[in-house]
Amino acid sequence: VSTQSTWGLCLKMLGFLLRRGLSTSKLVKFEVFVESTGKSVALEAPKGTPLAQVLKDGNIPLPFECGFKCECGTCAIEFKDKSTFENVLKEQPPAADEKSTLGSLDAPIRLSCQLKVSDALELSLIHI
């Protein structure tokens, strides 16, 4: 098999994956500390993945009562590291409905249903 045909096959496969919506982006690794159990859970997900879905799939005990609609606040997460919180705010500013649900952004709290996995979360520690 020639090198040229191998590259052609690789490019076809990449195109197939992209058309199917499969991510080729880098995995972001982060940790979630669950205060009710006193345990940390290491998670990783492709950039752009809804954070709430990653938490739900990772069996993180959050109720997600409104089904990711930004109405209940039960998916709230806290950033203990101020610089991580500020980086998340810069990358993903809160929309009006999130501000309304939270009431204030004085504390380093965001709704996981309104965030996507991003570089700002790399190696961060999220508390619930």
Side-chain angles (χ1 to χ4, degrees), residues 19-124:
R19 283 190 302 279
R20 295 285 182 258
L22 300 175
S23 175
T24 59
S25 65
K26 147 190 161 183
L27 290 178
V28 175
K29 296 178 182 185
F30 56 96
E31 197 169 331
V32 179
F33 178 74
V34 182
E35 292 186 22
S36 63
T37 64
K39 295 182 180 179
S40 290
V41 178
L43 296 173
E44 65 180 23
K47 285 172 48 175
T49 306
L51 181 58
Q53 191 62 55
V54 175
L55 297 176
K56 186 175 182 180
D57 293 348
N59 295 316
I60 301 302
L62 287 172
F64 304 108
E65 288 178 7
C66 69
F68 307 159
K69 295 178 187 161
C70 194
E71 295 173 352
C72 66
T74 61
C75 68
I77 58 172
E78 182 178 3
F79 296 94
K80 295 291 187 178
D81 179 59
K82 185 177 180 177
S83 66
T84 299
F85 179 66
E86 289 171 354
N87 289 335
V88 169
L89 278 177
K90 282 184 215 169
E91 278 190 3
Q92 302 177 67
D97 54 349
E98 182 177 10
K99 289 178 184 177
S100 174
T101 299
L102 287 174
S104 164
L105 286 177
D106 293 337
I109 295 172
R110 292 292 302 271
L111 299 179
S112 63
C113 69
Q114 299 302 297
L115 296 175
K116 297 204 180 296
V117 173
S118 70
D119 287 331
L121 294 178
E122 182 71 42
L123 302 177
S124 69

